[in-house]
Amino acid sequence: MSELLIKDGRVIDPANKIDTVSDVLIREGKIAEIGSVKASGEMKTIDAKDKYVVPGLIDLHVHFREPGDEGKETIASGSHAAVAGGFTSVACMPNTQPTIDNEATVEYVYRQAAEANLANVYATGAITKGRDGEELAEMGQMVRGGVVAFTDDGTGVQDSGVMLKAFQYASMFDKVIMQHCQDDAIAGNGCMNSGYQATVLGLPGMSPLAEELMIARDLLLVQQTKARYHVQHLSTKKAAQIIREAKQQGIAVTTEVSPHHLLLTEDCCVGYDTNYKMNPPLRRQEDVDAMRQAVADGTIDCLATDHAPHLSSEKELEFFNAPPGILGLECALGLYVKALIDTKTIDWPRMIAMMTHIPADILSIDKGTLAIGADADVTIIDPTSPWQVDVEKFYSKSRNCPFHGWDLTARATHTIVGGEIKFQLG
Amino acid sequence: MQELLDSKKINELLETMAEKIYNEFSSTDSVALVGIRSRGEILAQRLNQLLQNKGLSQLDSGVLDITLYRDDLDLKGADQPQVRSTEIEFDINEYHIILIDDVIWTGRTIRAALDALMDIGRPKVVRLAILVDKGFREFPIHPDYIGQEIDVSVDQKVRVYLNETDDKEQVVVE
Amino acid sequence: MKKKSSSKDFVWRRKHLLGLKGMSADELIHLFNTAEGFKEISQRSIKKAPALRGKVVGNLFFEDSTRTRTSFALAVSRLSADIVEFTAKASSLSKGETLRDTARNLEAMGIDMVVVRHKAGGAANLLSQCIDACVINAGDGYHEHPTQGLLDIFTIRELRQDIKGLKVAIVGDIAHSRVARSNIWALHTLGAEVFLVGPPTLMPSAVSQLPVTVCHDFDSIIGQMDVLNMLRVQFERIGSPVIPSLLEYSRLFALTEKRMEKAKSDVIVMHPGPMNRGLEIEGTVADGPNSTVLRQVSNGLAVRMAVLFLVNQASKLPADERIDS
C-alpha cells in the first residue's frame, strides 16, 4: 500500500474552506486524511514546515504545440514545465498543426499525455473546423474523445451568426466556450497596443476596441442560449468593466488573466524586444491596474498563463514579423505572488482558489480540491524563498520569456500528481 | 609655460615673411593665400593685408579644412576631429598657392593639406609659409617661408594664440 | 550664410543612427555643421575625400528605394569607402533567412557599416543589437527615416536663420510616415512648431500625445506656415477606408497653385520624393520658386556623408563613452 505523508504544512484548500497547519496523508493516489497523522515506518514523508500545501495548480490555457510544432514544445516537455511550475493539470489549446478539431486529434493528445505521464493534460477542441470561423467542428465527437472546452484560441470567431450557432450547439454538452476576443476588422495587422508607444515605434497598433467589441457581442449572443462563456486572457480596463456589469446581470461568463497582463505595459516594447510581443498585446498601466482591481473584486475568476512557446529563430525576427506569446508555466506562481500578493490585491487562499477549484469548475473537471477521496494532486509551495528566473533552466523546449532575470519569491518545491511526486525542487 | 614670442615679435615675423613673398612673385602671377584651419586662416588674412599694403593687390585667398585628409582618422583614442568647410572660391588651376599654417612639426598636416589641394585642382606652384617651426619632421616637407625656428624638446607643446580667436597674442611653449 | 561652429569639444557619441527621437539639439547642430563641411566636396572636380578609405559599407535594402539607396551609395563613394549593394525581398517568414542571418553574413565579409532599409519598424534597432558594425537606419516601417528628417531640416536651416519659432506643416499620410516621425522629433527639439495636416484616418493613434498641433483644414493654417512638407500619398491607400478618392484627397490636402496663393510668399515647399505630381502636389508648385525638392536631394548627400563620417568616428570611442542604442 503506497502512502505519502506531508507533515506540518499550512494546508490551504479553498474549495473546502480549509486554511490550517496540518498533515496530509495520501494513500493509493487519493487524499486519505487531513489532520494530525503519525508517521509510520514504511511511510514516505515530506517535511512541509513553513510551506504551503495546496491542491495541485490548474492552468486552463497552455499551448503545447503538439501535433505539428514539436520543435517549440511537446506534450511531454510542456508537462515537464507544468509540474516544474507547480501545475498538476493543464488544458491545451487546439491551435496545433493540424488543428484539434476532431476525435482522432483529441485522442492523440491524450495518448501523448499518458505517455509523458507527468501532469494531467486536458485537450480542448476547436469551435470551428480548422479554426477558420466558418463551419462548426464536430463538438459531439470531440466530447466523446474527452475535450473539456471549445475554443478557436489564437483567433476569435468573427462571424456573429457562426458564433451564435456555436453557443447553441455547445450548450447541449455543457462544455464551456472559451473565446480569444479579437475583432479582426478593428485589430487589422496590429502587433502591439495602439497608443503612444505604437505611434512612436512606428508599429501597427491593435486597438483595445478589438477585444471589447467581441466580448460585448458574445455577451449578447450567449444570453440567447444556455451556453457557458469564458473570456480568455482579459487585457483592457473597459473589457473588465463590461464583464463586471455582465456578471451583475447574472450572465454566465467567466474570465482569466495572464501574469504578463498583471505586470507589464506597452512601455516594455520600447527597444523592440519580441519577448514583449503578446496577443492580446501589453496595454497601459491603467489597464494593468484595472486587471488587478478586477482580480480583487472577483470580476476575473481565474489565473491562466497562456504558456506559448516559440523558437528562438522566430523570436529573433523583426517585432512585426515575430510570433506573439511567451512562456508562463515555470515562473507563473512567483509572478502572481508579485502581482497580487505583494501588492495586497488578494490573499493566498483567494489566489490558490483562482488557480485550483475555480478553473476546475470552469472546465467541469473533478480536480482542484484536497477533499478526502479526491485525486491526490498536491502542490507544496515555499512562499518566501527568493529565486531568480533563468530561462536556461526551464524544462520547456523554448526560451521566449521576458521575465528572465526577475527576482521572485514563492515557487513549488514538490508537485504531486495522483499521489506520485512528479517534480521535486533539487 | 614660457613665452617664446610676443605680439610685437609675431608682427615683425609676419612682416618679414610678407616681404619675402612679395619679392618672389611678380604682379602678373596668379597668387592665392590658402590658410589651414583654424589659425592658418587668420595668419593668411594678415599676410594678405600686408601684401596688399605692399601693392600686391591681385591676391585671392581661401581656407582649407584638412580633417577628411588626416592620417589619424582611424586611430583609436585620437581626439575626435571637427569637420568644417573648405572655402576656396576660385579655380586653383595654374595658381601660385601659398599654404599657411601657424606651427609645423611632423609635417603630417601639410601632407594632408597637399592632398586636399590636389583634389581641388592642379596648382602651378605650391609654397609653404609657417610662423613657427618646431622641428622633428616625420615627412620630407620643408617650409619655404619660416617666421622662426625654435628649439624645444619633442614632447613640449608649442601653442600659438592670436587676437582674433584667443583674446591674446603670443606663442608659448608648454 | 555662415553658421557658428559648434563647440570644439563636442564629441559625437552615437555609433548608430537609428532615429532622431532622443537626439539633443547639440547633436543635431553638430551634425548639421559637419554636413556643411561636406557640401564642398560635391562642388569640385574630384568629388572625393579619403575620410573612410578602406571601409566597407553594406547597403542593405529590403524594400525598394532607388533614391535613398543611390544617395547613400554616392555618399559612401565620395568618402572613398567601398560599398556592397545588397537588395533582398523582406524576410517575413520564419523559415526564410532572417535579418539577423543576413547581418551575420555581412559581418563575416568584414563590413564596417550597414545602411538598412526595411519595411518593419525596429529593423535597424534589431540589426544594431546583433552586429558590431555601425548601423544607419535608411527607413524602417513607419518608425523613422532619420537621414531624411536631417536633410529636410538642414535645408530649412540653409534658407532661414534659425529653426526655432518656425511653423512647419507636415501634410498627408502621417500614420504611415517614418519621414513625418523623424521630422516631428527633430523639429520639436530645435524649437519649431509642428502642424500635422491630413484626414483623421491618416493620423497615428496617439497623435494627441505627440508635440504637435493637428489640423484637418489645410486652408485655415496654410497662411501662417513657414514650411510646407508634403508627404507622398501611397496609391494603395486611395479607395481603401482611409481615403475615399483621389479627387477628394486632392481637393482637401493637395498643394495646388490656387492654395499657394494663401501661403506666405517665401514659404518653403518640401517633398521627400518621389512625388505624385497632381496628387499631393501640383507639378507647377513642385517646380516653382518656393520648391526645395532638388536642394533637398543634393543636401541629402552632404548629410549622409556627415552621418557616415560621424558614426565611424564614434565607433572608435571606448565603449563607455559611446552611445550604442
Side-chain angles (χ1 to χ4, degrees), chain B residues 37-38 41 67-69 72-88 116 118-121, chain C residues 2 5 7-8 10-12 30 33-34 36-38 40-41 44-46 48-51 55 309 312-314 316:
Chain B
R37 281 197 196 277
S38 53
E41 176 187 357
T67 309
L68 301 176
Y69 293 82
D72 60 354
L73 284 177
D74 237 13
L75 289 185
K76 281 194 173 27
D79 283 349
Q80 209 176 75
Q82 316 286 317
V83 177
R84 294 182 61 196
S85 228
T86 286
E87 290 165 21
I88 295 177
M118 292 310 108
D119 277 358
I120 297 169
Chain C
K2 276 266 188 83
S5 170
S7 151
K8 278 239 178 251
F10 190 93
V11 177
W12 181 265
H30 182 74
N33 287 337
T34 305
E36 203 81 55
F38 283 95
E40 175 263 342
I41 296 176
R44 58 201 202 195
S45 58
I46 297 175
K48 243 180 174 19
K55 300 287 174 206
F309 179 79
N312 182 58
Q313 285 293 309
K316 290 195 291 289

Side-chain angles (χ1 to χ4, degrees), chain A residues 195-196 199-201 272 316 318, chain C residues 99-100 122 143 181 205-206 209:
Chain A
Y196 181 72
T199 297
V200 169
L201 297 172
Y272 299 96
E316 283 182 1
E318 307 80 43
Chain C
L99 180 59
R100 276 177 195 248
H143 175 221
R181 283 173 178 77
S205 56
Q209 292 174 63

Side-chain angles (χ1 to χ4, degrees), chain A residues 26-85:
Chain A
I26 295 167
R27 185 182 298 134
E28 298 298 339
K30 304 284 182 189
I31 303 293
E33 226 182 305
I34 293 185
S36 185
V37 182
K38 203 162 180 294
S40 67
E42 293 279 292
M43 209 179 273
K44 182 173 163 53
T45 305
I46 298 170
D47 177 11
K49 193 167 184 326
D50 299 325
K51 291 182 182 153
Y52 297 170
V53 179
V54 305
L57 305 178
I58 300 173
D59 187 350
L60 51 59
H61 192 154
V62 302
H63 298 267
F64 282 178
R65 305 298 184 206
E66 197 178 351
D69 273 314
E70 289 83 356
K72 299 182 179 191
E73 196 81 285
T74 61
I75 288 170
S77 67
S79 300
H80 214 145
V83 293

Side-chain angles (χ1 to χ4, degrees), chain C residues 56-70:
Chain C
V56 184
V57 181
N59 219 9
L60 189 53
F61 276 64
F62 290 99
E63 197 182 59
D64 289 338
S65 164
T66 313
R67 286 160 184 258
T68 306
R69 191 159 55 83
T70 312

